[in-house]
Amino acid sequence: MTDWNEFKIVLAIARAGSLAGAGKDLGHDHSTIFRWLNAMEKRRGVQLFDRTSGQYVPTDAGLQMVTSAERVEAEIMALDRSITGRDARLSGKLRITSSETLAFRILNEVLATFRREHDGIEIELLVDNRQLDLLRREADVAIRATRPQEGELFGRKIASTPWTFYGSSAYLAACCHPTDLTSLSRHAIVGWDSGAVAAASLWLTKNISPHAFAYRSSSLINQLMAVKAGLGLALLPCYLGDLEPGIERVLEPLDELTRELWLITHKDLRNTARVRAFFDHVGGGLLARRALLEGEFPRAAAAAD
């Protein structure tokens, strides 16, 4: 078996557990993946997956192929990073991943000055609240709210980012102002859609009565807009809520929801010219906005006044 594409197909199906998921990862529709898988199994006279309850689970033969595919993929990725890591050009594509809130509120402003200095570098920004895999080169650089755990990753801490509840001035004028966490459940709460696993979503599920939720959304930006429209109170990162006109903090930041913001890349890529330039410029630009990121903007604004 010498066709790497066959390995990729089997690996994608195993990781996604479905043909639709594998097709999304590979850029094909599920019917094409189904046809390719059937052709592979027929050609080799072996079943590679069991189909149970809509899930595709590798058989023993499929698991052997998945294991080999993971090993080959790791070697290809290591070679790619090694070659890219020697690239001294301040040009080419740079894939960045960031949360939607950071991209909306802060990041584009910093990227604009980066591009003025390095117009040969093409930025591809993947706005995704999932943690894309830097080991598999799903992105070159990540700006994420977690300290890197994998030994192969290199990171630089930017700030600690607090969260708290926000409400519109009109909503708070019409309702009694919450004084503590207990009183929040007597208000209309804007929350996450069912199944969300973000830390803020899990906190809300644990601490707020389910009857208090008036509106749910998978997007924090949409939750922010819902607060502005007067739909209720929402738990937001302070750097997102503090600059938004017409809304205000309801409570002090919640210590248990404070996160660390990190700039992260793979160790093999840290000396690539465009990655190093990104760390220097964008890392510096984010550090210059540390007061906003760390929820000190209202105090800083008051001091300026």
Side-chain angles (χ1 to χ4, degrees), residues 18-35:
S18 67
L19 299 183
K24 183 178 179 180
D25 289 341
L26 297 175
H28 296 281
D29 59 60
H30 76 279
S31 60
T32 300
I33 303 298
F34 179 75
R35 186 172 65 253

Side-chain angles (χ1 to χ4, degrees), residues 76-131:
I76 291 173
M77 292 295 103
L79 176 61
D80 181 55
R81 289 192 303 268
S82 178
I83 293 172
T84 304
R86 295 187 176 95
D87 193 345
R89 299 170 301 162
L90 282 169
S91 61
K93 181 179 290 187
L94 194 61
R95 289 166 60 87
I96 312 301
T97 178
S98 162
S99 68
E100 63 164 349
T101 55
L102 193 70
F104 172 80
R105 179 60 78 209
I106 296 174
L107 191 55
N108 281 333
E109 181 180 306
V110 183
L111 292 179
T113 62
F114 175 78
R115 275 282 302 159
R116 284 196 287 271
E117 282 195 19
H118 305 290
D119 59 2
I121 298 177
E122 176 191 349
I123 297 292
E124 182 178 346
L125 179 60
L126 309 173
V127 177
D128 201 319
N129 292 322
R130 296 176 302 120
Q131 291 196 9

